[in-house]
Structure formats: structure tokens, C-alpha cells
Amino acid sequence: MSGFFGLLHLFGIFFYVGLFAVGGGLVAASFMQQVLVEKYAFISMEKFYSMLAISESTPGPIGINLATYIGTELFGPGGGIVTTVGEILPAIVIILLISRFLSGFQNRPLVQHAFDGLRPATGGMVLVAMVNVFRIALLDIGSFSAGGGIAGLLRWKSVAFYLVAVVVLFRFKKIHPVFVVLAGAAFGVLCL
């Protein structure tokens, strides 16, 4: 994938993600994984989840951060701009249309049923993204498959850090979560 047509293809992918990823950044990340990793193999699963972790720990919306990061990684700064515009353009158009016409039909039963149907679907997509992140971060499927047994299934350092982070977040309320995120980034760089 290179040149103008590669950028156009990338714009189309992120426009699709922005159009159908109702429910936030983790839903968008799930769509991105399906298209970029599984369908087109533009990036590896490991690389994708590393990019997702960085996008989650930087300020701003996760989906847009991830789109910008992927575009920049594949095509440089121009790719970052193209993927970001592709990701946010559908939302801008839809918000403009809804703000223009919503007051006339927001209380109609069909609209209410559509929103009622979107809620569980969105929850399911967030759950799938969460399970995938846990699987990549805490499990070592390769070692398990190679005969490492149950003991080789877990990434023990990651599991230990995760448990400590959960205890810190829930036990010590005065510690801001951003410090746990920074500790996680340092742990990932220094220990993995």
C-alpha cells in the first residue's frame, strides 16, 4: 500500500470506522483491528495493541488518537491527517444532520427502539475489545502452545503489575489514575 491510492484506501477504512463505530473509542478500536489487522494485515496484532495502549495513555479520544497514530505510522504526518479526518468526518456530518432534524423526531418510537438496540451492541463491542486487550497483555498463547503448560500461559510480570495497579486504584483513592498509567508505560518500556 503506497502513494495516493494507499492514502485514499486508508481514508475509506477510517471513514467506515468513524461511520459505524457507535459507542466510543474502544468500539472504533475493535473495528480498526478487524479491518487493519485481520482483513488487510496492514499491521500485526502485537503492533496494533501496542499502538492501542499508547493511544489510551495519551490525552484525547482513544479512537482519534489511534487513527492518527496508525496513519502516521503507515504514511507519515500526511497519513495521520488523512486517517484523523476520515475518522471524524462521519461524526461531524451526522451531528450536523441530527442537530438540524432531531427535534422533529427524537420522541418517535422507532428512533427510541433504534437507540435501545444500539446500547447492548455497543456494550458487546466494548467487551470484545477489552477481552482482546487482556488476552494480548496478560496471556502468552505462543508459550502455552509450544508446550509451556498452564504455567506458561500467563505473562507473570504483566499479571503481577496488573494486580498491583488494581489494588492501588481501588485501595488508595488519593492516587490519581494518571500516575498508574505512567507507571504502566514505564513498566512496559523497562520490564517487557
Side-chain angles (χ1 to χ4, degrees):
M1 180 169 77
S2 62
F4 174 75
F5 291 109
L7 278 172
L8 190 61
H9 188 208
L10 209 57
F11 176 82
I13 289 170
F14 281 90
F15 188 87
Y16 163 78
V17 168
L19 186 61
F20 291 107
V22 177
L26 289 177
V27 175
S30 183
F31 270 106
M32 288 179 211
Q33 175 201 343
Q34 290 172 359
V35 176
L36 297 168
V37 176
E38 295 170 10
K39 185 173 183 181
Y40 293 113
F42 289 151
I43 53 179
S44 71
M45 184 74 82
E46 299 281 330
K47 177 88 170 169
F48 178 80
Y49 281 108
S50 294
M51 295 169 114
L52 178 61
I54 291 169
S55 298
E56 285 181 313
S57 58
T58 54
I62 297 167
I64 295 171
N65 289 348
L66 185 56
T68 305
Y69 189 3
I70 291 171
T72 303
E73 183 75 19
L74 294 176
F75 282 98
I81 292 169
V82 165
T83 55
T84 303
V85 170
E87 174 81 14
I88 65 172
L89 188 60
I92 292 170
V93 170
I94 290 169
I95 288 169
L96 290 174
L97 289 173
I98 287 175
S99 69
R100 174 97 167 105
F101 299 109
L102 183 63
S103 63
F105 66 93
Q106 70 184 14
N107 294 323
R108 292 193 178 171
L110 184 61
V111 173
Q112 293 300 318
H113 293 309
F115 282 117
D116 289 344
L118 285 172
R119 285 185 192 103
T122 301
M125 293 187 78
V126 168
L127 181 63
V128 166
M130 183 185 79
V131 167
N132 284 333
V133 168
F134 272 95
R135 184 174 51 94
I136 295 293
L138 301 178
L139 299 179
D140 190 356
I141 304 297
S143 175
F144 179 73
S145 300
I150 297 294
L153 180 62
L154 295 175
R155 298 178 193 264
W156 290 103
K157 287 187 210 174
S158 298
V159 170
F161 180 83
Y162 173 74
L163 293 174
V164 168
V166 167
V167 168
V168 166
L169 284 172
F170 286 103
R171 179 76 173 106
F172 305 103
K173 301 283 186 187
K174 291 186 179 186
I175 296 177
H176 198 280
V178 76
F179 295 116
V180 177
V181 170
L182 291 173
F187 172 78
V189 169
L190 299 173
C191 298
L192 298 179

